[in-house]
Amino acid sequence: MKAVEIFRLRLSFSPNSSEAIRKEAEDLINDKHYKGYRLITTSFTIEGTYIYAFITMKRPNTY
């Protein structure tokens, strides 16, 4: 089993999409942290008409 898990969120670009994806990423991070995951990195990027959030987290009970 791998110790690191990467989550990808995708949202079409609109006037309030940056705030919406930030809120969605924050909710995912909080939910996974409650389950024992630890945050490594978070990055946001825009490609074409989509905005992406890549969240890297360490799984619980892995070293």
Side-chain angles (χ1 to χ4, degrees):
M1 179 165 87
K2 297 186 185 225
V4 175
E5 192 168 342
I6 299 173
F7 303 96
R8 179 185 72 129
L9 303 175
R10 181 175 108 169
L11 191 65
S12 61
F13 195 75
S14 65
N16 293 328
S17 60
S18 61
E19 182 64 26
I21 199 160
R22 183 204 59 80
K23 178 69 172 137
E24 192 174 338
E26 184 178 334
D27 291 343
L28 176 81
I29 291 168
N30 288 337
D31 180 53
K32 293 295 182 180
H33 181 68
Y34 178 74
K35 294 178 181 175
Y37 285 74
R38 289 181 286 161
L39 180 66
I40 298 173
T41 63
T42 303
S43 64
F44 296 90
T45 186
I46 298 172
E47 292 183 18
T49 60
Y50 292 103
I51 184 167
Y52 294 92
F54 295 97
I55 303 163
T56 307
M57 299 188 86
K58 188 169 179 106
R59 289 180 186 239
N61 301 323
T62 56
Y63 301 100

PDB file of all heavy atoms in Angstrom, residues 40-63:
ATOM      1  N   ILE A  40       0.406  17.150   2.881  1.00  0.00           N
ATOM      2  CA  ILE A  40       1.780  17.372   2.419  1.00  0.00           C
ATOM      3  C   ILE A  40       1.819  18.654   1.592  1.00  0.00           C
ATOM      4  O   ILE A  40       2.530  19.583   1.937  1.00  0.00           O
ATOM      5  CB  ILE A  40       2.304  16.171   1.611  1.00  0.00           C
ATOM      6  CG1 ILE A  40       2.340  14.929   2.495  1.00  0.00           C
ATOM      7  CG2 ILE A  40       3.683  16.474   1.045  1.00  0.00           C
ATOM      8  CD1 ILE A  40       2.682  13.652   1.778  1.00  0.00           C
ATOM      9  N   THR A  41       1.075  18.706   0.473  1.00  0.00           N
ATOM     10  CA  THR A  41       1.042  19.907  -0.362  1.00  0.00           C
ATOM     11  C   THR A  41      -0.343  20.099  -0.960  1.00  0.00           C
ATOM     12  O   THR A  41      -1.116  19.154  -1.096  1.00  0.00           O
ATOM     13  CB  THR A  41       2.037  19.840  -1.542  1.00  0.00           C
ATOM     14  OG1 THR A  41       1.667  18.760  -2.392  1.00  0.00           O
ATOM     15  CG2 THR A  41       3.460  19.682  -1.089  1.00  0.00           C
ATOM     16  N   THR A  42      -0.602  21.337  -1.341  1.00  0.00           N
ATOM     17  CA  THR A  42      -1.811  21.700  -2.076  1.00  0.00           C
ATOM     18  C   THR A  42      -1.405  22.680  -3.159  1.00  0.00           C
ATOM     19  O   THR A  42      -0.664  23.629  -2.890  1.00  0.00           O
ATOM     20  CB  THR A  42      -2.850  22.376  -1.158  1.00  0.00           C
ATOM     21  OG1 THR A  42      -3.142  21.502  -0.076  1.00  0.00           O
ATOM     22  CG2 THR A  42      -4.122  22.689  -1.903  1.00  0.00           C
ATOM     23  N   SER A  43      -1.864  22.442  -4.389  1.00  0.00           N
ATOM     24  CA  SER A  43      -1.567  23.375  -5.470  1.00  0.00           C
ATOM     25  C   SER A  43      -2.799  23.555  -6.347  1.00  0.00           C
ATOM     26  O   SER A  43      -3.612  22.651  -6.495  1.00  0.00           O
ATOM     27  CB  SER A  43      -0.381  22.890  -6.305  1.00  0.00           C
ATOM     28  OG  SER A  43      -0.704  21.686  -6.952  1.00  0.00           O
ATOM     29  N   PHE A  44      -2.897  24.746  -6.921  1.00  0.00           N
ATOM     30  CA  PHE A  44      -4.009  25.091  -7.796  1.00  0.00           C
ATOM     31  C   PHE A  44      -3.438  25.497  -9.150  1.00  0.00           C
ATOM     32  O   PHE A  44      -2.394  26.144  -9.209  1.00  0.00           O
ATOM     33  CB  PHE A  44      -4.812  26.259  -7.219  1.00  0.00           C
ATOM     34  CG  PHE A  44      -5.473  25.939  -5.911  1.00  0.00           C
ATOM     35  CD1 PHE A  44      -4.820  26.166  -4.712  1.00  0.00           C
ATOM     36  CD2 PHE A  44      -6.750  25.410  -5.875  1.00  0.00           C
ATOM     37  CE1 PHE A  44      -5.421  25.874  -3.505  1.00  0.00           C
ATOM     38  CE2 PHE A  44      -7.362  25.110  -4.672  1.00  0.00           C
ATOM     39  CZ  PHE A  44      -6.703  25.342  -3.488  1.00  0.00           C
ATOM     40  N   THR A  45      -4.121  25.113 -10.234  1.00  0.00           N
ATOM     41  CA  THR A  45      -3.680  25.478 -11.575  1.00  0.00           C
ATOM     42  C   THR A  45      -4.887  25.673 -12.477  1.00  0.00           C
ATOM     43  O   THR A  45      -5.946  25.099 -12.235  1.00  0.00           O
ATOM     44  CB  THR A  45      -2.718  24.422 -12.150  1.00  0.00           C
ATOM     45  OG1 THR A  45      -2.214  24.884 -13.389  1.00  0.00           O
ATOM     46  CG2 THR A  45      -3.388  23.089 -12.334  1.00  0.00           C
ATOM     47  N   ILE A  46      -4.709  26.489 -13.498  1.00  0.00           N
ATOM     48  CA  ILE A  46      -5.766  26.727 -14.489  1.00  0.00           C
ATOM     49  C   ILE A  46      -5.272  26.210 -15.819  1.00  0.00           C
ATOM     50  O   ILE A  46      -4.180  26.567 -16.271  1.00  0.00           O
ATOM     51  CB  ILE A  46      -6.100  28.223 -14.595  1.00  0.00           C
ATOM     52  CG1 ILE A  46      -6.621  28.741 -13.268  1.00  0.00           C
ATOM     53  CG2 ILE A  46      -7.112  28.465 -15.707  1.00  0.00           C
ATOM     54  CD1 ILE A  46      -6.808  30.230 -13.212  1.00  0.00           C
ATOM     55  N   GLU A  47      -6.071  25.338 -16.446  1.00  0.00           N
ATOM     56  CA  GLU A  47      -5.753  24.807 -17.768  1.00  0.00           C
ATOM     57  C   GLU A  47      -7.003  24.891 -18.626  1.00  0.00           C
ATOM     58  O   GLU A  47      -7.996  24.224 -18.330  1.00  0.00           O
ATOM     59  CB  GLU A  47      -5.271  23.365 -17.676  1.00  0.00           C
ATOM     60  CG  GLU A  47      -3.921  23.227 -17.008  1.00  0.00           C
ATOM     61  CD  GLU A  47      -3.439  21.794 -16.989  1.00  0.00           C
ATOM     62  OE1 GLU A  47      -3.958  20.968 -17.758  1.00  0.00           O
ATOM     63  OE2 GLU A  47      -2.556  21.514 -16.184  1.00  0.00           O
ATOM     64  N   GLY A  48      -6.940  25.697 -19.672  1.00  0.00           N
ATOM     65  CA  GLY A  48      -8.095  25.853 -20.548  1.00  0.00           C
ATOM     66  C   GLY A  48      -9.250  26.489 -19.812  1.00  0.00           C
ATOM     67  O   GLY A  48      -9.126  27.572 -19.241  1.00  0.00           O
ATOM     68  N   THR A  49     -10.377  25.814 -19.784  1.00  0.00           N
ATOM     69  CA  THR A  49     -11.567  26.351 -19.116  1.00  0.00           C
ATOM     70  C   THR A  49     -11.816  25.720 -17.750  1.00  0.00           C
ATOM     71  O   THR A  49     -12.900  25.838 -17.197  1.00  0.00           O
ATOM     72  CB  THR A  49     -12.811  26.139 -20.002  1.00  0.00           C
ATOM     73  OG1 THR A  49     -12.973  24.735 -20.220  1.00  0.00           O
ATOM     74  CG2 THR A  49     -12.683  26.866 -21.320  1.00  0.00           C
ATOM     75  N   TYR A  50     -10.817  25.038 -17.200  1.00  0.00           N
ATOM     76  CA  TYR A  50     -10.969  24.376 -15.899  1.00  0.00           C
ATOM     77  C   TYR A  50      -9.930  24.875 -14.914  1.00  0.00           C
ATOM     78  O   TYR A  50      -8.809  25.222 -15.275  1.00  0.00           O
ATOM     79  CB  TYR A  50     -10.823  22.856 -16.034  1.00  0.00           C
ATOM     80  CG  TYR A  50     -11.959  22.227 -16.796  1.00  0.00           C
ATOM     81  CD1 TYR A  50     -11.797  21.842 -18.119  1.00  0.00           C
ATOM     82  CD2 TYR A  50     -13.189  22.011 -16.204  1.00  0.00           C
ATOM     83  CE1 TYR A  50     -12.838  21.266 -18.827  1.00  0.00           C
ATOM     84  CE2 TYR A  50     -14.237  21.444 -16.892  1.00  0.00           C
ATOM     85  CZ  TYR A  50     -14.057  21.064 -18.203  1.00  0.00           C
ATOM     86  OH  TYR A  50     -15.093  20.505 -18.892  1.00  0.00           O
ATOM     87  N   ILE A  51     -10.293  24.885 -13.657  1.00  0.00           N
ATOM     88  CA  ILE A  51      -9.364  25.163 -12.570  1.00  0.00           C
ATOM     89  C   ILE A  51      -9.243  23.873 -11.756  1.00  0.00           C
ATOM     90  O   ILE A  51     -10.241  23.223 -11.465  1.00  0.00           O
ATOM     91  CB  ILE A  51      -9.825  26.360 -11.713  1.00  0.00           C
ATOM     92  CG1 ILE A  51      -8.799  26.694 -10.645  1.00  0.00           C
ATOM     93  CG2 ILE A  51     -11.187  26.153 -11.124  1.00  0.00           C
ATOM     94  CD1 ILE A  51      -9.034  28.032  -9.983  1.00  0.00           C
ATOM     95  N   TYR A  52      -8.012  23.480 -11.445  1.00  0.00           N
ATOM     96  CA  TYR A  52      -7.740  22.226 -10.760  1.00  0.00           C
ATOM     97  C   TYR A  52      -7.106  22.492  -9.398  1.00  0.00           C
ATOM     98  O   TYR A  52      -6.348  23.442  -9.229  1.00  0.00           O
ATOM     99  CB  TYR A  52      -6.754  21.368 -11.553  1.00  0.00           C
ATOM    100  CG  TYR A  52      -7.278  20.870 -12.866  1.00  0.00           C
ATOM    101  CD1 TYR A  52      -7.076  21.587 -14.040  1.00  0.00           C
ATOM    102  CD2 TYR A  52      -7.961  19.666 -12.941  1.00  0.00           C
ATOM    103  CE1 TYR A  52      -7.546  21.122 -15.248  1.00  0.00           C
ATOM    104  CE2 TYR A  52      -8.438  19.190 -14.155  1.00  0.00           C
ATOM    105  CZ  TYR A  52      -8.228  19.920 -15.305  1.00  0.00           C
ATOM    106  OH  TYR A  52      -8.704  19.460 -16.499  1.00  0.00           O
ATOM    107  N   ALA A  53      -7.395  21.610  -8.460  1.00  0.00           N
ATOM    108  CA  ALA A  53      -6.726  21.600  -7.165  1.00  0.00           C
ATOM    109  C   ALA A  53      -6.125  20.209  -6.983  1.00  0.00           C
ATOM    110  O   ALA A  53      -6.825  19.208  -7.135  1.00  0.00           O
ATOM    111  CB  ALA A  53      -7.701  21.894  -6.042  1.00  0.00           C
ATOM    112  N   PHE A  54      -4.830  20.150  -6.737  1.00  0.00           N
ATOM    113  CA  PHE A  54      -4.146  18.892  -6.466  1.00  0.00           C
ATOM    114  C   PHE A  54      -3.731  18.900  -5.003  1.00  0.00           C
ATOM    115  O   PHE A  54      -3.019  19.787  -4.557  1.00  0.00           O
ATOM    116  CB  PHE A  54      -2.913  18.732  -7.368  1.00  0.00           C
ATOM    117  CG  PHE A  54      -3.254  18.619  -8.818  1.00  0.00           C
ATOM    118  CD1 PHE A  54      -3.207  19.726  -9.645  1.00  0.00           C
ATOM    119  CD2 PHE A  54      -3.640  17.404  -9.360  1.00  0.00           C
ATOM    120  CE1 PHE A  54      -3.539  19.616 -10.987  1.00  0.00           C
ATOM    121  CE2 PHE A  54      -3.964  17.277 -10.698  1.00  0.00           C
ATOM    122  CZ  PHE A  54      -3.915  18.397 -11.512  1.00  0.00           C
ATOM    123  N   ILE A  55      -4.190  17.898  -4.270  1.00  0.00           N
ATOM    124  CA  ILE A  55      -3.941  17.809  -2.839  1.00  0.00           C
ATOM    125  C   ILE A  55      -3.207  16.500  -2.564  1.00  0.00           C
ATOM    126  O   ILE A  55      -3.706  15.434  -2.882  1.00  0.00           O
ATOM    127  CB  ILE A  55      -5.269  17.864  -2.058  1.00  0.00           C
ATOM    128  CG1 ILE A  55      -6.031  19.146  -2.405  1.00  0.00           C
ATOM    129  CG2 ILE A  55      -5.018  17.754  -0.561  1.00  0.00           C
ATOM    130  CD1 ILE A  55      -7.469  19.107  -2.023  1.00  0.00           C
ATOM    131  N   THR A  56      -2.024  16.605  -1.986  1.00  0.00           N
ATOM    132  CA  THR A  56      -1.228  15.435  -1.645  1.00  0.00           C
ATOM    133  C   THR A  56      -1.268  15.248  -0.143  1.00  0.00           C
ATOM    134  O   THR A  56      -0.944  16.150   0.610  1.00  0.00           O
ATOM    135  CB  THR A  56       0.237  15.627  -2.110  1.00  0.00           C
ATOM    136  OG1 THR A  56       0.246  15.984  -3.487  1.00  0.00           O
ATOM    137  CG2 THR A  56       1.051  14.359  -1.898  1.00  0.00           C
ATOM    138  N   MET A  57      -1.685  14.037   0.266  1.00  0.00           N
ATOM    139  CA  MET A  57      -1.806  13.741   1.689  1.00  0.00           C
ATOM    140  C   MET A  57      -1.175  12.394   2.006  1.00  0.00           C
ATOM    141  O   MET A  57      -1.173  11.490   1.176  1.00  0.00           O
ATOM    142  CB  MET A  57      -3.272  13.739   2.107  1.00  0.00           C
ATOM    143  CG  MET A  57      -3.973  15.064   1.887  1.00  0.00           C
ATOM    144  SD  MET A  57      -5.611  15.129   2.582  1.00  0.00           S
ATOM    145  CE  MET A  57      -5.211  15.626   4.251  1.00  0.00           C
ATOM    146  N   LYS A  58      -0.641  12.301   3.210  1.00  0.00           N
ATOM    147  CA  LYS A  58      -0.057  11.052   3.692  1.00  0.00           C
ATOM    148  C   LYS A  58      -1.151  10.242   4.382  1.00  0.00           C
ATOM    149  O   LYS A  58      -1.894  10.763   5.199  1.00  0.00           O
ATOM    150  CB  LYS A  58       1.064  11.357   4.658  1.00  0.00           C
ATOM    151  CG  LYS A  58       1.862  10.164   5.059  1.00  0.00           C
ATOM    152  CD  LYS A  58       3.103  10.581   5.805  1.00  0.00           C
ATOM    153  CE  LYS A  58       3.868   9.395   6.220  1.00  0.00           C
ATOM    154  NZ  LYS A  58       5.045   9.174   5.462  1.00  0.00           N
ATOM    155  N   ARG A  59      -1.228   8.963   4.028  1.00  0.00           N
ATOM    156  CA  ARG A  59      -2.248   8.086   4.609  1.00  0.00           C
ATOM    157  C   ARG A  59      -2.005   7.860   6.088  1.00  0.00           C
ATOM    158  O   ARG A  59      -0.875   7.951   6.567  1.00  0.00           O
ATOM    159  CB  ARG A  59      -2.236   6.734   3.903  1.00  0.00           C
ATOM    160  CG  ARG A  59      -2.768   6.796   2.516  1.00  0.00           C
ATOM    161  CD  ARG A  59      -2.710   5.405   1.905  1.00  0.00           C
ATOM    162  NE  ARG A  59      -3.088   5.453   0.526  1.00  0.00           N
ATOM    163  CZ  ARG A  59      -4.107   4.777   0.024  1.00  0.00           C
ATOM    164  NH1 ARG A  59      -4.799   3.976   0.772  1.00  0.00           N
ATOM    165  NH2 ARG A  59      -4.406   4.887  -1.241  1.00  0.00           N
ATOM    166  N   PRO A  60      -3.061   7.526   6.822  1.00  0.00           N
ATOM    167  CA  PRO A  60      -2.885   7.250   8.257  1.00  0.00           C
ATOM    168  C   PRO A  60      -2.063   5.976   8.491  1.00  0.00           C
ATOM    169  O   PRO A  60      -2.099   5.046   7.682  1.00  0.00           O
ATOM    170  CB  PRO A  60      -4.314   7.075   8.769  1.00  0.00           C
ATOM    171  CG  PRO A  60      -5.218   7.032   7.599  1.00  0.00           C
ATOM    172  CD  PRO A  60      -4.438   7.426   6.391  1.00  0.00           C
ATOM    173  N   ASN A  61      -1.333   5.975   9.567  1.00  0.00           N
ATOM    174  CA  ASN A  61      -0.552   4.818  10.019  1.00  0.00           C
ATOM    175  C   ASN A  61       0.477   4.341   9.006  1.00  0.00           C
ATOM    176  O   ASN A  61       0.752   3.153   8.874  1.00  0.00           O
ATOM    177  CB  ASN A  61      -1.475   3.650  10.388  1.00  0.00           C
ATOM    178  CG  ASN A  61      -2.442   4.031  11.478  1.00  0.00           C
ATOM    179  OD1 ASN A  61      -2.085   4.779  12.387  1.00  0.00           O
ATOM    180  ND2 ASN A  61      -3.658   3.560  11.384  1.00  0.00           N
ATOM    181  N   THR A  62       1.074   5.271   8.248  1.00  0.00           N
ATOM    182  CA  THR A  62       2.189   4.945   7.352  1.00  0.00           C
ATOM    183  C   THR A  62       3.375   5.800   7.735  1.00  0.00           C
ATOM    184  O   THR A  62       3.228   6.913   8.218  1.00  0.00           O
ATOM    185  CB  THR A  62       1.830   5.204   5.875  1.00  0.00           C
ATOM    186  OG1 THR A  62       1.416   6.547   5.716  1.00  0.00           O
ATOM    187  CG2 THR A  62       0.717   4.274   5.415  1.00  0.00           C
ATOM    188  N   TYR A  63       4.562   5.267   7.520  1.00  0.00           N
ATOM    189  CA  TYR A  63       5.781   5.981   7.922  1.00  0.00           C
ATOM    190  C   TYR A  63       6.640   6.272   6.736  1.00  0.00           C
ATOM    191  O   TYR A  63       6.596   5.711   5.739  1.00  0.00           O
ATOM    192  CB  TYR A  63       6.550   5.166   8.948  1.00  0.00           C
ATOM    193  CG  TYR A  63       5.740   4.894  10.179  1.00  0.00           C
ATOM    194  CD1 TYR A  63       5.090   3.679  10.380  1.00  0.00           C
ATOM    195  CD2 TYR A  63       5.566   5.888  11.138  1.00  0.00           C
ATOM    196  CE1 TYR A  63       4.341   3.441  11.514  1.00  0.00           C
ATOM    197  CE2 TYR A  63       4.812   5.655  12.268  1.00  0.00           C
ATOM    198  CZ  TYR A  63       4.214   4.432  12.451  1.00  0.00           C
ATOM    199  OH  TYR A  63       3.464   4.208  13.574  1.00  0.00           O
TER     200      TYR A  63
END
